[in-house]
Structures are given as structure tokens and as C-alpha cells.
Amino acid sequence: MRIANRLLELDRVADAVEAFGEAHGLAAKLRYQLRLVLDELLTNTISYGYPEDGEHVITVSMSQDGSRLRFLLVDDALPFDPLTAKTPDLGAEADARPIGGLGIHLVRAIMDRVAYERVGGTNRLLLEKDI
């Protein structure tokens, strides 16, 4: 699916993930986790990746290959490899932790594989989950 770089589009993505999950017989908990992961990543891209505030398109692909789910996010936002984000100190008090990093930690914890590449002016983030 193609979405605009607007936070209002996140509802469409959540609906699409839910429909995809139901069509593939995915458990409600897994559908929730997938919605959470995509919401986190797309929120960051939309909120921080387009400082000039123009219209842009983000592509979200969802597929299943046997027992593996694949999600591919492609955007022309500023280059950002979420895999370079430091792991947050989860043992620190919440008010002592710097802002940021928890969402990427959540993505890594839920997904089995995450790969990033910058190709031809686009960010490509591949997410895989074994089911």
C-alpha cells in the first residue's frame, strides 16, 4: 500500500495489517504486535524524516512466505538506519533515561530479523517475523 507522509495515514496501515492478519489466520496478539511495530516505525519516519513538510509517499508491503511474514517499508525521507540506534538502558528510572530508543528496541524485540539499506535515495527497511 502507498500512504502519504501524514500521521492520519497510520489508521489505514493499522486496518491493512488487521485485514492481512485475519486473511492469513494470525493470532490477535501477533496482529497487535505487528500494528505496534509499523506504527512506531512509520510515526518516526513521518515525524522526523521530512523536515521540509512536502508531500511524499511511503510504501508498505506485507507478504507471507510459508512460515515467514515480511514487511518492507520504503520511503524517500532523510537517511536513517534504525539499527544504529543504541539500546536504551531499561534498568534506569524512566525520568533519568534520555528520550528515544524505546520504539526501536521494541521493534527489535518483536521482529525476528530487521535489515536496512539506503538505495537510490530511499530508505528500505525489511522486517521479518517467523510464525
Side-chain angles (χ1 to χ4, degrees), residues 4-105:
N5 58 318
R6 300 286 176 247
L7 292 174
L8 290 173
E9 294 277 71
L10 297 177
D11 288 339
R12 283 185 51 222
V13 174
D15 291 345
V17 171
E18 194 64 28
F20 173 84
E22 287 177 2
H24 290 85
L26 303 180
K29 179 180 177 182
L30 179 55
R31 294 192 316 260
Y32 171 78
Q33 290 174 328
L34 296 171
R35 287 192 321 267
L36 190 62
V37 163
L38 293 178
D39 186 81
E40 173 61 29
L41 292 168
L42 291 169
T43 296
N44 285 345
T45 298
I46 293 166
S47 298
Y48 307 113
Y50 300 103
E52 76 286 348
D53 197 37
E55 283 292 318
H56 296 269
V57 173
I58 301 169
T59 303
V60 181
S61 302
M62 301 174 233
S63 64
Q64 182 175 357
D65 182 13
S67 63
R68 181 171 293 164
L69 300 174
R70 284 194 179 101
F71 299 86
L72 178 63
L73 307 180
V74 180
D75 63 68
D76 66 346
L78 295 173
F80 177 68
D81 179 354
L83 301 177
T84 62
K86 292 181 181 178
T87 301
D89 179 3
L90 301 176
E93 293 293 324
D95 59 348
R97 275 187 245 151
I99 294 175
L102 285 176
I104 299 301
H105 174 73

Side-chain angles (χ1 to χ4, degrees), residues 105-117:
H105 174 73
L106 176 80
V107 169
R108 288 179 180 149
I110 291 173
M111 302 308 290
D112 292 308
R113 280 167 299 288
V114 180
Y116 170 84
E117 62 181 341

